[in-house]
Amino acid sequence: MALTHIPKPILPIPPSWFPGHMMKFTRMLPTLLTRTDVVLEIRDSRLPLTSINRTLEGALRKWRNERGWDPNHPGRRIMATEACEHIVVLNKRDLVPEWGMEPFTNAMAKKFPHQRLLFASWQRPKDIRTLSDLLVSITKQHPHAMELNVLVIGMPNVGKSTLLNALRNTGIKGRTPKAFQTSANPGMTQALSTRLKVSLDPLVYAFDTPGVMLPFLGRGAEGAERGVKLALIAGIKEGLYDMEALALYLLYRLNVLNPISPAYLRILPSGSSPTTDLDEFLTLLAQRMGMMKRGAELDTSRAAVYFVRWWREEGGLIAANEALQLDASASHGTQGWGFDFQWDVQPSELSGRELVQQKMELSIDEYVASTDQEEHDENNVSDTQKKKQLVMEEKKRRRERYAAKRG
């Protein structure tokens, strides 16, 4: 029986996780861009909007304008004496339903015409070859340049180092050692890497960079949801979130992706039905897995940890393959794709890819408007950051007064 009402959960206030190496790289970025030809931004396919790092957007915009792109028409270039491309790779494509990829690509092309977007997985050689061929083609468009320098950026744990290792193995024939260390935990890369050669002819070099989290995840329900999403993909340091909070949101999202037969039914006792009640779900899961505490009490806390880790390791693949694509003839109107898209379908609307793209375009517009409003209202800046900014401004004024007196 399908779920007809899926209530959105109340989530905890997001923690702050912005170590010093992230701040250091953010300050270095404008200088690094002066010797960069291609920015390769890696995002997570499950969070194609949430994994956009707005902290870096200002530096990227300035870099594009300095390289001849029209600030009033983002898709038009006035001067093209040197390469300047922003490629967005949505990594881990096997963790989102295939049917949404083309509509999403088309929707993003309308909103961000200056970006080249492609889906990839380091486990699919064809995807890596496509990316390698794209970098080579950009190099050939600028034959006067001796080499192409690629800067790889993105949030923690989106797969930057792993993708670069695969790119190197594709671009350079023969056996090549693993270039970068990788980890399932965020924060492995903490400094700018040395140049990694990813193509011999033409010469293409890449720099791996530290994953940079948003300094402040935001206020209210939007900030809370943003934090939980990033924690679910292990983009935030383990331990900053209670696993039951992550399990609650994961249960909600899997229900949205398939209200008729959610992926988690595979790990519940035979005959179980979809549920929106976390306590009921964890009790069933603990029973199914034989998770007991002393006194023969079911260990639901352990079940919550198991649920999140199951989804990260294998459940995500199952959810992507079994996600339900609804249309206007469906008996209920909730539809989802990944963890960033959710909409309702009315009986009078179109069905298929046209509907999906239309709904995605509306969702992207809402995301852009929401983040712009957050920035305008300074809701993306914490109280601590505001105090630090005031202190820095005061120090600057004092230096200027001191310099004026000496002058």
Side-chain angles (χ1 to χ4, degrees), residues 203-266:
L203 271 176
V204 180
Y205 292 93
F207 294 86
D208 194 14
T209 65
V212 177
M213 180 53 63
L214 297 173
F216 182 60
L217 292 169
R219 306 179 193 278
E222 292 82 5
E225 186 172 14
R226 187 177 293 133
V228 169
K229 285 178 179 180
L230 292 168
L232 269 174
I233 66 165
I236 293 179
K237 186 179 179 182
E238 188 87 13
L240 293 180
Y241 268 97
D242 176 73
M243 278 293 185
E244 291 193 16
L246 301 188
L248 175 62
Y249 188 76
L250 179 56
L251 181 67
Y252 162 71
R253 275 295 164 192
L254 293 182
N255 281 331
V256 169
L257 286 174
N258 191 335
I260 297 173
S261 181
Y264 60 72
L265 290 180
R266 288 173 173 250

Side-chain angles (χ1 to χ4, degrees), residues 1 260-262 264-275 280 284 287-288:
M1 182 177 178
I260 297 173
S261 181
Y264 60 72
L265 290 180
R266 288 173 173 250
I267 55 174
L268 294 185
S270 178
S272 297
S273 300
T275 180
E280 176 188 351
L284 288 170
Q287 288 174 349
R288 170 71 172 76

Side-chain angles (χ1 to χ4, degrees), residues 73-361:
H73 299 87
R76 183 164 70 102
R77 195 167 184 189
I78 303 169
M79 177 181 61
T81 56
E82 53 189 333
C84 178
E85 299 289 348
H86 183 182
I87 301 172
V88 174
V89 176
L90 289 161
N91 198 18
K92 307 179 184 180
R93 62 174 291 169
D94 46 342
L95 299 179
V96 291
E98 185 80 26
W99 55 259
M101 293 181 186
E102 184 181 336
F104 178 78
T105 301
N106 293 338
M108 288 291 282
K110 281 189 175 183
K111 194 66 185 178
F112 303 101
H114 59 285
Q115 297 175 357
R116 302 193 191 198
L117 187 143
L118 57 96
F119 284 88
S121 169
W122 67 272
Q123 296 173 316
R124 295 168 56 118
K126 181 180 178 182
D127 294 343
I128 305 303
R129 283 196 299 272
T130 298
L131 178 56
S132 179
D133 291 345
L134 177 56
L135 293 175
V136 168
S137 71
I138 292 171
T139 308
K140 290 180 177 179
Q141 291 169 19
H142 301 274
H144 60 280
M146 300 193 60
E147 61 193 31
L148 190 79
N149 286 297
V150 180
L151 187 69
V152 183
I153 64 172
M155 285 195 177
N157 212 36
V158 292
K160 297 186 299 299
S161 301
T162 304
L163 199 63
L164 265 180
N165 287 334
L167 192 62
R168 173 183 171 87
N169 291 336
T170 297
I172 300 179
K173 302 303 179 184
R175 296 187 62 183
T176 56
K178 180 183 283 190
F180 297 124
Q181 287 187 313
T182 61
S183 171
N185 298 316
M188 168 64 78
T189 305
Q190 296 194 1
L192 183 72
S193 73
T194 54
R195 290 206 311 173
L196 174 71
K197 190 181 293 181
V198 296
S199 173
L200 292 173
D201 185 20
L203 271 176
V204 180
Y205 292 93
F207 294 86
D208 194 14
T209 65
V212 177
M213 180 53 63
L214 297 173
F216 182 60
L217 292 169
R219 306 179 193 278
E222 292 82 5
E225 186 172 14
R226 187 177 293 133
V228 169
K229 285 178 179 180
L230 292 168
L232 269 174
I233 66 165
I236 293 179
K237 186 179 179 182
E238 188 87 13
L240 293 180
Y241 268 97
D242 176 73
M243 278 293 185
E244 291 193 16
L246 301 188
L248 175 62
Y249 188 76
L250 179 56
L251 181 67
Y252 162 71
R253 275 295 164 192
L254 293 182
N255 281 331
V256 169
L257 286 174
N258 191 335
I260 297 173
S261 181
Y264 60 72
L265 290 180
R266 288 173 173 250
I267 55 174
L268 294 185
S270 178
S272 297
S273 300
T275 180
T276 60
D277 187 309
L278 181 66
D279 291 335
E280 176 188 351
F281 170 79
L282 293 179
T283 298
L284 288 170
L285 181 57
Q287 288 174 349
R288 170 71 172 76
M289 297 299 165
M291 296 175 176
M292 309 293 290
K293 295 190 290 188
R294 287 183 180 179
E297 183 182 353
L298 290 169
D299 194 343
T300 54
S301 295
R302 186 178 162 200
V305 174
Y306 176 88
F307 179 42
V308 172
R309 291 184 177 167
W310 165 81
W311 176 75
R312 288 174 179 169
E313 293 168 7
E314 59 177 301
L317 286 168
I318 296 170
N321 290 329
E322 298 182 355
L324 192 65
Q325 182 180 8
L326 308 181
D327 58 34
S329 63
S331 58
H332 51 86
T334 302
Q335 180 168 349
W337 184 78
F339 277 20
D340 274 347
F341 289 95
Q342 178 180 341
W343 55 81
D344 292 326
V345 178
Q346 302 302 322
S348 60
E349 292 182 303
L350 300 171
S351 62
R353 291 184 178 180
E354 295 84 0
L355 171 66
V356 172
Q357 182 176 331
Q358 181 186 89
K359 295 293 186 179
M360 284 182 168
E361 288 176 14

